Amino acid sequence: MMSGVENVEDSKPATGLDGLDEQLIDRLVGQARAGGLTLTGEGGVLQQLTKRLLESALEGEITDHLGYDRHDPAGRGTGNSRNGARSKTVLTDVGPVEIDVPRDRNAEFEPRIVAKRQRRLTGVDEMVISLSAKGLTTGEISAHLAEVYGAAVSRQTISTITDKVVEGMVEWQNRPLDVVYPVVFIDAIHVKVRDGQVANRPVYMAMAVTVEGHRDILGLWAGDGGEGAKYWLHVLTELRNRGVADVLMLVCDGLAGLPDAVTTVWPRTVVQTCIVHLLRNSFRYAGRQHWAAVAKALKPVYTAPTEAAARERFAEFAEAWGARYPAIVRLWDNAWAEFVPFLAFDTEIRRVICSTNAIESVNARIRRAVRARGHFPNEQAALKCVYMAVMSLDPTGTGRKRWTMRWKPALNAFDIAFDGRLTTGRE
């Protein structure tokens, strides 16, 4: 009896990690090679296998719909029966595949795996959206599908596919947020929008660091370049209405009206000017030959141990460079109130909030997608492009791990410096 059990076990087919019969796969590949068939490409094994699998699934669906198998006498007198099939070509991950879709006499059969009027399987839509998020234009995606899969997909069809993300974008833009964030960065990228005439329009992005040290992009907002306190009050109120009760620090690049709006929505939030942007703006007023010297002279200002020491170092800078570049001195004077807050904190906090470098890497990815398109027909198209680029960030999750490791020491310092507001917000 024991040997019988062993024989039964031995007779079981070997299966892979995905549960498929490996022996069956080996036989299939062997027969294809023996018959001179290719695995991929037009007429290849994958296309034929896809055709058979889809048609088999459709046959199963119509059997469930009618309640009896093909040629089963039980179907006589039921009032409905099979009525042949119609051919259609669907675009799949392995290229165009022609399939026969069964029909019933009463025209009541609604296939699900390949629905009526459906010409693409979902994997193709996901691929198009992924390529678009990486910066390919509709023409480039169309050419890619024709070259790799031999499929003719129009630019309009590709645009229709990517339009599907708009519903998800609206849902994402209105999702609930955390109660408290240690830092929120606000920055803008500029896109060209054709609204009567092509003009540069800013798209603002708010990116937060969560209490666990993860990156969370809170939302995207389109502006016209003339945003003031009223505009920013609307944006920040939207974030508060989505659940954000407290933000410890908000880092930005001197956006007009933003500090006043922050005070109205979150009275205890510290507004910090991005030091890197302040330096970049300084270089605009200096000759290229003096950039290194100006940067060296300004470094003691933003690395000073206290605000008083920073003021002394800035006076030295003004004395050395004020006559040649008075605009730089005026720039720093005007930004001083939003520049000095981070000087009150220890090095762990200074290191992560003194610039918007954290958001610059995200913006670099977005700019690649934006530049590929040149300009957009309207604001919605621009937001859609930026949203898809945001959703394609960090597909492997390695960036998330690096963020967490980088922010853990700073989060502990934040909780101490801000009297436990971070801990209270988590509870």
Side-chain angles (χ1 to χ4, degrees), residues 1 3 5 23 29-30 41 48 59 94 100 108 130 132 140 167 187 288 316 422:
M1 293 296 293
S3 58
V5 173
Q23 295 179 2
V29 173
Q48 294 185 38
E59 185 62 32
V94 296
D100 292 328
E108 297 172 345
S130 176
S132 181
E140 290 170 337
E167 183 178 344
D187 201 4
R288 184 179 292 272
E316 295 171 358
L422 205 58

Side-chain angles (χ1 to χ4, degrees), residues 1-292:
M1 293 296 293
M2 184 64 69
S3 58
V5 173
E6 291 174 351
N7 289 336
V8 169
E9 293 294 329
D10 292 341
S11 66
K12 289 184 178 180
T15 58
L17 294 176
D18 53 5
L20 295 177
D21 187 337
E22 292 185 353
Q23 295 179 2
L24 177 60
I25 295 173
D26 290 341
R27 288 198 302 271
L28 182 62
V29 173
Q31 290 175 4
R33 288 174 177 170
L37 296 177
T38 60
L39 293 178
T40 59
E42 186 175 359
V45 173
L46 288 180
Q47 277 193 349
Q48 294 185 38
L49 186 58
T50 301
K51 172 181 171 66
R52 295 290 182 88
L53 289 174
L54 290 176
E55 290 178 346
S56 177
L58 290 167
E59 185 62 32
E61 287 189 10
I62 197 169
T63 295
D64 290 341
H65 172 70
L66 295 175
Y68 61 90
D69 291 325
R70 181 183 292 274
H71 308 307
D72 190 337
R76 295 173 183 172
T78 59
N80 197 7
S81 62
R82 288 171 172 80
N83 187 29
R86 56 183 176 86
S87 296
K88 66 185 291 186
T89 299
V90 293
L91 182 58
T92 72
D93 292 345
V94 296
V97 174
E98 185 176 342
I99 60 174
D100 292 328
V101 181
R103 299 181 299 184
D104 64 333
R105 292 194 178 277
N106 294 347
E108 297 172 345
F109 175 52
E110 295 285 345
R112 293 185 298 274
I113 191 168
V114 183
K116 289 182 177 179
R117 294 176 292 279
Q118 181 181 354
R119 295 291 179 179
R120 303 177 309 274
L121 298 190
T122 55
V124 176
D125 288 10
E126 292 169 358
M127 177 173 54
V128 168
I129 291 172
S130 176
L131 292 172
S132 181
K134 288 176 171 57
L136 273 69
T137 64
T138 54
E140 290 170 337
I141 296 173
S142 178
H144 173 79
L145 295 176
E147 179 182 354
V148 177
Y149 299 101
V153 182
S154 69
R155 295 186 181 187
Q156 180 58 47
T157 298
I158 292 170
S159 181
T160 301
I161 294 173
T162 57
D163 281 344
K164 293 180 179 180
V165 306
V166 173
E167 183 178 344
M169 180 176 70
V170 173
E171 183 178 349
W172 171 80
Q173 185 77 14
N174 292 283
R175 74 195 189 281
L177 301 175
D178 293 350
V179 175
V180 61
Y181 291 101
V183 187
V184 171
F185 299 91
I186 294 183
D187 201 4
I189 63 167
H190 288 83
V191 300
K192 296 183 184 298
V193 176
R194 186 178 67 250
D195 188 7
Q197 61 182 2
V198 178
N200 282 326
R201 298 275 299 277
V203 173
Y204 297 101
M205 176 170 60
M207 187 188 76
V209 178
T210 70
V211 294
E212 291 82 18
H214 302 154
R215 176 178 62 197
D216 187 11
I217 297 176
L218 307 183
L220 301 168
W221 297 268
D224 58 15
E227 291 75 29
K230 185 176 181 180
Y231 174 86
W232 289 112
L233 182 62
H234 164 74
V235 170
L236 300 182
T237 301
E238 177 185 316
L239 294 177
R240 185 179 63 185
N241 291 342
R242 290 166 59 193
V244 183
D246 192 13
V247 173
L248 305 190
M249 297 194 75
L250 188 141
V251 182
C252 62
D253 177 26
L255 298 171
L258 182 56
D260 293 338
V262 172
T263 302
T264 301
V265 178
W266 301 302
R268 296 191 294 172
T269 297
V270 175
V271 179
Q272 173 66 47
T273 291
C274 167
I275 306 305
V276 170
H277 279 80
L278 196 55
L279 289 171
R280 289 175 184 168
N281 293 336
S282 300
F283 296 151
R284 294 177 183 175
Y285 299 109
R288 184 179 292 272
Q289 70 274 20
H290 295 138
W291 283 3

Side-chain angles (χ1 to χ4, degrees), residues 297-304 310-311 313-314 317 332 336 339 343:
L298 285 172
K299 186 174 182 179
V301 180
Y302 62 82
T303 58
R311 177 59 77 177
R313 302 291 81 77
F314 182 65
F317 172 85
W332 282 72
W336 194 262
F339 155 68
L343 295 175

